[in-house]
Amino acid sequence: MCRLLVASCWSGLLVADCRTDQFVVKLWDVVLVVIGIAEGNVPWYYNGWLGDSPAMLPLPMAALVSLTITFKLDKSLEYIHAVAGPALENCASGCPWPSMPIISSLWAQKVRRWHDFIVVSCSRSIFRQNQEAVAQLLRSCFTSFFGSLHLSASPLTSQNGVNGLLGSFISAPGHRPRVAPGFLYLRTCHTIQHVQHVNQVIVDLVADSSRELAVGWASTDSPCSSLKSTRASLAVAISRAREVATLGASLLCVTGGLQLVQELYQETIPTWLLSARTRERDKKHGQVNVVSRILEGYSIAYLLVLSGAFIWGVGAKPPSWAFSRRLQGVGVHMDFVVGVLEGNISLGCDPATWKAYVSCLVSLVVSFAPVWIREVKQETLRKLATGLRGWHECELALSLLERGGVAAMGSVVELVNVI
């Protein structure tokens, strides 16, 4: 019986119609181009493969496809498809042999009414190992949510915002499948193999978007503008920078949760601050002024605090697993900040970015997560307050020490005497 099954798989499913596979791949291209991914970049491992040679499946996978595709589509057997479907997708996506076009085309022919669903679902395999495709998808998520970052543009309209990110309709039957980038990312993010890459991409996107906002503010502000209008436009830029950081934190947390947030505090943000920004990136955004540097540091601090708040919480009694990770993450990051303030670590970022980052970070923690401060070592708090006092941020330094609990009262008295 097994020999007959294997022979059937070899003769029936191992070789598929190449034209159908090419059609499915073209539909994948349509889906990806619609969400903003450059045509020709993906599908990356299918380029040059679909030629005149027959499309083939590895024998074990062909046997699995044969078993699942011959099931009668009955409601009593839906649980089998719920298990077999993800199994096929995982096997095909992780296989170095390009199998997904064949599997999706076979299933699309078997169940015509599931055609669009199968095409869109199988297109997720492209993002499993391709870091550049993941970066482009994340970039599309930011673009679809914010639209134009120019201050004269409406911040959230029906064409962007949640509708632009997640979509507001499903393609009608017979039309080419269309999917919103955020929806596709939510269906894809848990299958990304190199998930650590997402941290760096999101940090860069948040920083670049903030600098673009600042450059837009500088271009709209003219010498003839009144002080009131200048302040209003700057307030809009700051507000939109917070929205950028909020979207970045949301995408980061939904992708890797606890693991990515821990790496954000201990590795990604410190590395980003230590690395020199490239001149090519500055040229990309045109004029880079002091405001752009400040807004950049502000948005990165907001991203950091929001990500930690989403995963660890800001309450005094978090779950035991969250408490230990929060204690470690916040403590290590504050030690890094103090090391830079004392001159033991050399920065690569602009001094204005660094000062805005530290001031905003401490201000956010003091205002919204004071419990975190009591979990930091007293010596670290004292050194951090000293650094803030050196920047003439005496009120912020005093607020930081006041929230350090009874153990920090000695440092509070010392700071008051100095002031």
Side-chain angles (χ1 to χ4, degrees), residues 287-320:
Q287 177 188 3
V288 178
N289 49 28
V290 176
V291 175
S292 67
R293 301 298 190 186
I294 294 174
L295 208 56
E296 184 182 41
Y298 174 84
S299 62
I300 294 298
Y302 211 90
L303 169 69
L304 185 80
V305 174
L306 268 181
S307 299
F310 287 162
I311 297 299
W312 300 326
V314 295
K317 295 182 179 180
S320 57

Short mmCIF file of all heavy atoms in Angstrom, two decimals, residues 287-320:
data_model
loop_
_atom_site.label_atom_id
_atom_site.label_comp_id
_atom_site.label_asym_id
_atom_site.label_seq_id
_atom_site.Cartn_x
_atom_site.Cartn_y
_atom_site.Cartn_z
N GLN A 287 18.21 68.81 4.39
CA GLN A 287 18.76 69.61 5.47
C GLN A 287 18.54 68.92 6.82
O GLN A 287 17.42 68.55 7.17
CB GLN A 287 18.10 70.99 5.48
CG GLN A 287 18.58 71.88 6.63
CD GLN A 287 17.76 73.14 6.72
OE1 GLN A 287 16.80 73.32 5.97
NE2 GLN A 287 18.12 74.01 7.63
N VAL A 288 19.62 68.71 7.57
CA VAL A 288 19.53 68.10 8.89
C VAL A 288 19.94 69.15 9.90
O VAL A 288 21.10 69.56 9.97
CB VAL A 288 20.44 66.85 8.99
CG1 VAL A 288 20.36 66.27 10.39
CG2 VAL A 288 20.02 65.81 7.96
N ASN A 289 18.99 69.65 10.70
CA ASN A 289 19.27 70.72 11.65
C ASN A 289 19.23 70.18 13.07
O ASN A 289 19.05 68.98 13.30
CB ASN A 289 18.26 71.86 11.47
CG ASN A 289 16.83 71.33 11.44
OD1 ASN A 289 16.54 70.30 12.03
ND2 ASN A 289 15.96 72.04 10.76
N VAL A 290 19.41 71.07 14.01
CA VAL A 290 19.43 70.66 15.42
C VAL A 290 18.09 70.08 15.83
O VAL A 290 18.02 69.11 16.61
CB VAL A 290 19.80 71.88 16.31
CG1 VAL A 290 19.73 71.50 17.78
CG2 VAL A 290 21.19 72.39 15.96
N VAL A 291 17.00 70.64 15.32
CA VAL A 291 15.67 70.13 15.66
C VAL A 291 15.50 68.68 15.23
O VAL A 291 14.91 67.87 15.95
CB VAL A 291 14.58 71.02 15.02
CG1 VAL A 291 13.20 70.44 15.29
CG2 VAL A 291 14.65 72.43 15.58
N SER A 292 16.04 68.33 14.08
CA SER A 292 15.93 66.96 13.60
C SER A 292 16.68 66.00 14.52
O SER A 292 16.23 64.89 14.79
CB SER A 292 16.44 66.84 12.17
OG SER A 292 17.84 67.07 12.12
N ARG A 293 17.83 66.44 15.02
CA ARG A 293 18.59 65.60 15.95
C ARG A 293 17.84 65.42 17.26
O ARG A 293 17.80 64.34 17.84
CB ARG A 293 19.95 66.25 16.23
CG ARG A 293 20.82 66.46 15.00
CD ARG A 293 21.17 65.16 14.33
NE ARG A 293 22.20 65.36 13.30
CZ ARG A 293 22.61 64.41 12.47
NH1 ARG A 293 22.08 63.22 12.55
NH2 ARG A 293 23.53 64.67 11.56
N ILE A 294 17.24 66.52 17.74
CA ILE A 294 16.50 66.45 19.00
C ILE A 294 15.27 65.55 18.85
O ILE A 294 14.98 64.72 19.72
CB ILE A 294 16.09 67.87 19.45
CG1 ILE A 294 17.33 68.69 19.81
CG2 ILE A 294 15.11 67.83 20.62
CD1 ILE A 294 17.05 70.14 20.12
N LEU A 295 14.55 65.72 17.76
CA LEU A 295 13.34 64.92 17.53
C LEU A 295 13.69 63.44 17.37
O LEU A 295 12.93 62.56 17.78
CB LEU A 295 12.62 65.43 16.29
CG LEU A 295 11.10 65.23 16.24
CD1 LEU A 295 10.43 65.86 17.45
CD2 LEU A 295 10.52 65.81 14.96
N GLU A 296 14.85 63.18 16.79
CA GLU A 296 15.31 61.81 16.64
C GLU A 296 15.53 61.16 18.00
O GLU A 296 15.06 60.03 18.26
CB GLU A 296 16.61 61.82 15.84
CG GLU A 296 17.18 60.46 15.51
CD GLU A 296 18.49 60.58 14.75
OE1 GLU A 296 19.31 61.45 15.10
OE2 GLU A 296 18.69 59.81 13.81
N GLY A 297 16.24 61.84 18.90
CA GLY A 297 16.47 61.30 20.24
C GLY A 297 15.18 61.15 21.02
O GLY A 297 15.00 60.17 21.76
N TYR A 298 14.28 62.09 20.85
CA TYR A 298 12.99 62.05 21.54
C TYR A 298 12.18 60.82 21.13
O TYR A 298 11.64 60.09 21.97
CB TYR A 298 12.23 63.34 21.23
CG TYR A 298 10.82 63.38 21.76
CD1 TYR A 298 10.56 63.77 23.07
CD2 TYR A 298 9.73 63.05 20.96
CE1 TYR A 298 9.27 63.82 23.57
CE2 TYR A 298 8.44 63.09 21.45
CZ TYR A 298 8.21 63.47 22.74
OH TYR A 298 6.93 63.51 23.22
N SER A 299 12.10 60.56 19.83
CA SER A 299 11.29 59.44 19.34
C SER A 299 11.89 58.10 19.73
O SER A 299 11.16 57.14 20.03
CB SER A 299 11.13 59.54 17.82
OG SER A 299 12.39 59.45 17.18
N ILE A 300 13.23 57.99 19.74
CA ILE A 300 13.86 56.72 20.13
C ILE A 300 13.61 56.44 21.61
O ILE A 300 13.36 55.30 22.01
CB ILE A 300 15.37 56.76 19.82
CG1 ILE A 300 15.58 56.82 18.30
CG2 ILE A 300 16.07 55.53 20.39
CD1 ILE A 300 15.05 55.62 17.54
N ALA A 301 13.67 57.48 22.45
CA ALA A 301 13.37 57.29 23.87
C ALA A 301 11.92 56.86 24.06
O ALA A 301 11.62 55.98 24.89
CB ALA A 301 13.64 58.59 24.63
N TYR A 302 11.03 57.47 23.30
CA TYR A 302 9.61 57.10 23.39
C TYR A 302 9.41 55.65 22.95
O TYR A 302 8.64 54.90 23.57
CB TYR A 302 8.79 58.04 22.51
CG TYR A 302 7.39 58.29 23.00
CD1 TYR A 302 7.11 59.34 23.88
CD2 TYR A 302 6.34 57.47 22.60
CE1 TYR A 302 5.82 59.56 24.33
CE2 TYR A 302 5.05 57.70 23.05
CZ TYR A 302 4.80 58.75 23.91
OH TYR A 302 3.52 58.96 24.36
N LEU A 303 10.11 55.23 21.88
CA LEU A 303 10.03 53.85 21.42
C LEU A 303 10.49 52.89 22.51
O LEU A 303 9.86 51.85 22.76
CB LEU A 303 10.90 53.69 20.17
CG LEU A 303 11.17 52.25 19.69
CD1 LEU A 303 9.90 51.62 19.13
CD2 LEU A 303 12.27 52.24 18.62
N LEU A 304 11.59 53.21 23.18
CA LEU A 304 12.14 52.33 24.21
C LEU A 304 11.17 52.17 25.37
O LEU A 304 10.87 51.05 25.80
CB LEU A 304 13.47 52.91 24.70
CG LEU A 304 14.22 52.04 25.70
CD1 LEU A 304 14.97 50.93 24.98
CD2 LEU A 304 15.20 52.88 26.52
N VAL A 305 10.66 53.29 25.91
CA VAL A 305 9.79 53.22 27.08
C VAL A 305 8.47 52.54 26.74
O VAL A 305 7.96 51.72 27.52
CB VAL A 305 9.55 54.64 27.65
CG1 VAL A 305 8.53 54.59 28.78
CG2 VAL A 305 10.86 55.23 28.14
N LEU A 306 7.91 52.86 25.59
CA LEU A 306 6.64 52.23 25.21
C LEU A 306 6.78 50.72 25.04
O LEU A 306 5.90 49.95 25.47
CB LEU A 306 6.14 52.84 23.89
CG LEU A 306 5.17 54.03 24.00
CD1 LEU A 306 4.77 54.47 22.61
CD2 LEU A 306 3.96 53.68 24.82
N SER A 307 7.85 50.27 24.41
CA SER A 307 8.06 48.83 24.21
C SER A 307 8.15 48.11 25.54
O SER A 307 7.54 47.05 25.74
CB SER A 307 9.33 48.59 23.39
OG SER A 307 9.25 49.19 22.12
N GLY A 308 8.91 48.69 26.48
CA GLY A 308 8.99 48.08 27.80
C GLY A 308 7.67 48.08 28.53
O GLY A 308 7.31 47.10 29.20
N ALA A 309 6.91 49.17 28.40
CA ALA A 309 5.61 49.26 29.09
C ALA A 309 4.63 48.23 28.51
O ALA A 309 3.85 47.63 29.26
CB ALA A 309 5.04 50.67 28.95
N PHE A 310 4.65 48.03 27.20
CA PHE A 310 3.74 47.06 26.57
C PHE A 310 4.00 45.64 27.07
O PHE A 310 3.05 44.88 27.30
CB PHE A 310 3.90 47.10 25.06
CG PHE A 310 3.32 48.32 24.41
CD1 PHE A 310 3.69 48.68 23.11
CD2 PHE A 310 2.41 49.13 25.06
CE1 PHE A 310 3.17 49.81 22.50
CE2 PHE A 310 1.88 50.25 24.47
CZ PHE A 310 2.26 50.60 23.18
N ILE A 311 5.26 45.27 27.23
CA ILE A 311 5.61 43.89 27.56
C ILE A 311 5.74 43.66 29.06
O ILE A 311 5.21 42.69 29.60
CB ILE A 311 6.93 43.50 26.85
CG1 ILE A 311 6.76 43.56 25.33
CG2 ILE A 311 7.37 42.10 27.27
CD1 ILE A 311 5.71 42.62 24.78
N TRP A 312 6.44 44.56 29.75
CA TRP A 312 6.70 44.37 31.18
C TRP A 312 5.62 44.97 32.07
O TRP A 312 5.44 44.54 33.21
CB TRP A 312 8.03 45.00 31.57
CG TRP A 312 9.22 44.45 30.87
CD1 TRP A 312 9.39 43.15 30.46
CD2 TRP A 312 10.41 45.15 30.50
NE1 TRP A 312 10.61 43.00 29.86
CE2 TRP A 312 11.27 44.22 29.86
CE3 TRP A 312 10.84 46.46 30.63
CZ2 TRP A 312 12.52 44.57 29.37
CZ3 TRP A 312 12.09 46.81 30.15
CH2 TRP A 312 12.92 45.88 29.54
N GLY A 313 4.94 45.98 31.58
CA GLY A 313 3.99 46.69 32.41
C GLY A 313 4.67 47.76 33.25
O GLY A 313 5.90 47.79 33.36
N VAL A 314 3.88 48.62 33.84
CA VAL A 314 4.42 49.70 34.67
C VAL A 314 3.93 49.61 36.11
O VAL A 314 4.16 50.53 36.91
CB VAL A 314 4.05 51.08 34.07
CG1 VAL A 314 4.70 51.27 32.72
CG2 VAL A 314 2.52 51.24 33.97
N GLY A 315 3.26 48.52 36.44
CA GLY A 315 2.72 48.36 37.79
C GLY A 315 3.76 47.88 38.78
O GLY A 315 4.85 47.43 38.42
N ALA A 316 3.40 47.98 40.05
CA ALA A 316 4.32 47.59 41.13
C ALA A 316 4.38 46.08 41.30
O ALA A 316 5.35 45.57 41.88
CB ALA A 316 3.88 48.24 42.44
N LYS A 317 3.37 45.35 40.82
CA LYS A 317 3.35 43.90 41.00
C LYS A 317 3.15 43.19 39.65
O LYS A 317 2.08 42.63 39.39
CB LYS A 317 2.23 43.51 41.97
CG LYS A 317 2.44 44.03 43.39
CD LYS A 317 1.33 43.56 44.31
CE LYS A 317 1.56 44.06 45.73
NZ LYS A 317 0.46 43.63 46.66
N PRO A 318 4.16 43.21 38.81
CA PRO A 318 4.05 42.48 37.54
C PRO A 318 4.24 40.99 37.77
O PRO A 318 4.65 40.57 38.87
CB PRO A 318 5.22 43.06 36.72
CG PRO A 318 6.24 43.40 37.75
CD PRO A 318 5.47 43.85 38.96
N PRO A 319 3.94 40.15 36.79
CA PRO A 319 4.23 38.72 36.91
C PRO A 319 5.72 38.49 37.19
O PRO A 319 6.56 39.32 36.83
CB PRO A 319 3.82 38.16 35.55
CG PRO A 319 2.86 39.15 35.00
CD PRO A 319 3.28 40.48 35.52
N SER A 320 6.04 37.37 37.82
CA SER A 320 7.42 37.10 38.21
C SER A 320 8.36 37.10 37.01
O SER A 320 9.48 37.61 37.09
CB SER A 320 7.51 35.76 38.95
OG SER A 320 6.99 34.71 38.12
#
